[in-house]
Amino acid sequence: MKKDTILARAGRHEAEFHGAINPPVYHVSTIAFPTVAAFEEAARNRFSGVYYGRYGQPTSLALEEAVAALDGGYRAVAVPSGLAAIVTGLLAFVRPGDHVLVTDAVYGPTRETCNTLLRDMGVETTYFDPLIGADIGELIRPNTRLVYLESPGSLTFEVQDVPTIAAAARGRGLRVLMDNTWATPYYFRPLEHGVDVAILAATKYIGGHSDLMLGLVVATEEAYGPVKAASARLGYAPAPDDCYLALRGLRTLGVRLARHQANALEVASWLRRRPEVAEVLYPALPGAPGHELWARDFSGASGLFSVVFRPCPEGAVEAFLDGLTHFSIGVSWGGYESLALRVHPERLRTASFRPFPGPVVRFHIGLEDPDDLIADLEQGLARLGRVAARAGPSGRSAVEEAPS
Ligand SMILES: *Cc1c(COP(=O)(O)O)cnc(C)c1O
C-alpha cells in the first residue's frame, strides 16, 4: 500500500465495532474475563491484546497499528506525551555506566533529560555536531550504548546524514534512535535509513489541532521488546480520548502536511527576500542549509522553520511579534494554525555553537491563506523598522547595512 492508502486504511477494524469506521473511545481500567483460563491467557499476551487499561485498549492499539504501518516498523507504543516517548526510548537501552551520543541540535527537554535523569542514573552524555556524518565513529567508546538523532534539528534545522551516522553506529553494535517529529513518517521513514527506534511527538502533526498530548515510539522487531517493557515499567498509559483524536488526525495527515509545506515554502521564500532577514533555516528551500541532504532523503517538508534576522535594536523583534494577527506566540506546533516564537538556540548548544548575527524567530506556518500571512508579516516588519528608526542612526543602519 502507498502511504496515503495506509493513512486511510491502517488500524481499521469495523467488524469489531458494529461497523463503526473509527474505533470508539474506551474508558477502561478493569477488563472482566469469563474464566480463570481466559484471564491467564490475556495476562500472557498483555502487550498485544486488551488485559488492563494501562497496557492498552482498542483505541490505542488501533493507533499503534496504524502508525507502525505508516513508519514501516514492527510495532509502535503510544505514551502520554512526546517527551514520554523520548524517555521510553532512552531508558529502554541504557544502564548505569553507559555512555550515549546525542545530537547538539536536540529538542531542549531531551537535553534536560540527559543532563538530569540519565546523569543521575550514571549514564554519561556526549553531544555532537549534528553535521558530524561518518566522524561519529571517533566518539564511540567501549561503553557507548546508543546514538540519538533529530533531523532537522530543533530551532536550527540542520539536516543530519542519517544513513551514514546510523551505519557507522550499527557497525559498532550501537542502537540508533531518532526524533522524527518534524517530518513525521509521512515524509521520512527512519527505520528504512538504519534507525532502530523512531520517536514522534504525536502532539504535533499527527494530532494536528493543538488539542492533545501524545507520543509514539516505533521500533524494529529487535528493538520492540525493550521499548514496550520500558513504557510498561514507567507506568505510561496514554489517555483514550487523545488516542482517538490522534488516530482521527492521522487520517488527514497527508493532505494537511502538503498544505503546510506549500504555505511554508511561499512564506519562507518571501521572508528570504526581505532586507531585515539574514537567513531562512528551512531545508526545503533551495539554497538553504541542508537542502541537498533533505532532497536526497526526505519526500517532503512540514511547516516549521526559523528565520535569522539581521542585527536590530532592543525591542524591534518584540514589536514585530507582538502585533501579529494570524500568528500566535507559544510553544509546540503542528496544529492547523500559525505560530511565531522568539527562540534562543545559542543558549542550549554545547558542542557546535554557531553565532547568529541577529535574533532568531521560529515560525510554524498553518493552513491559513499565505497571502494573509504575508500581509501580516509585512506589517510586522514595518513595526520592526519603526523601532529601528527610533533607535537612531546606529540602530537603523544595523538593520539595513549589516553584513549577510
Ligand atoms: C514538542 C516536541 C517533543 C515533545 O512532545 P510533547 O508531546 O510536547 O512532550 C519532542 N520532540 C520534538 C522535536 C518536539 O518538537
Side-chain angles (χ1 to χ4, degrees), residues 79-86 105-110 148 150-155 179-182 199-204 212-215 304 331-333 362:
V79 293
S81 71
L83 185 57
I86 291 161
V106 78
Y107 176 61
T110 309
Y148 188 100
E150 183 180 329
S151 182
S154 270
L155 311 183
D179 187 328
N180 189 38
T181 300
W182 182 85
I199 288 160
L200 289 166
T203 306
K204 309 284 168 61
L212 65 88
M213 300 295 304
L214 202 73
L304 190 77
V331 295
S332 206
W333 40 271
R362 187 184 70 181

Side-chain angles (χ1 to χ4, degrees), residues 93-94 97-102 123-124 126 136-148 169 172-175:
F93 300 108
V94 295
D98 284 350
H99 170 242
V100 298
L101 292 169
V102 176
V123 174
E124 190 187 345
T126 299
I136 191 79
E138 291 165 22
L139 299 179
I140 297 174
R141 307 177 189 169
N143 64 336
T144 307
R145 185 70 51 199
L146 62 85
V147 177
Y148 188 100
R172 304 277 291 272
L174 274 55
R175 295 286 187 185

Side-chain angles (χ1 to χ4, degrees), residues 29-50:
S29 53
T30 299
I31 303 293
F33 295 91
T35 62
V36 174
F39 174 82
E40 285 174 356
E41 166 76 9
R44 271 194 297 280
N45 297 311
R46 63 187 179 283
F47 288 176
S48 10
V50 179

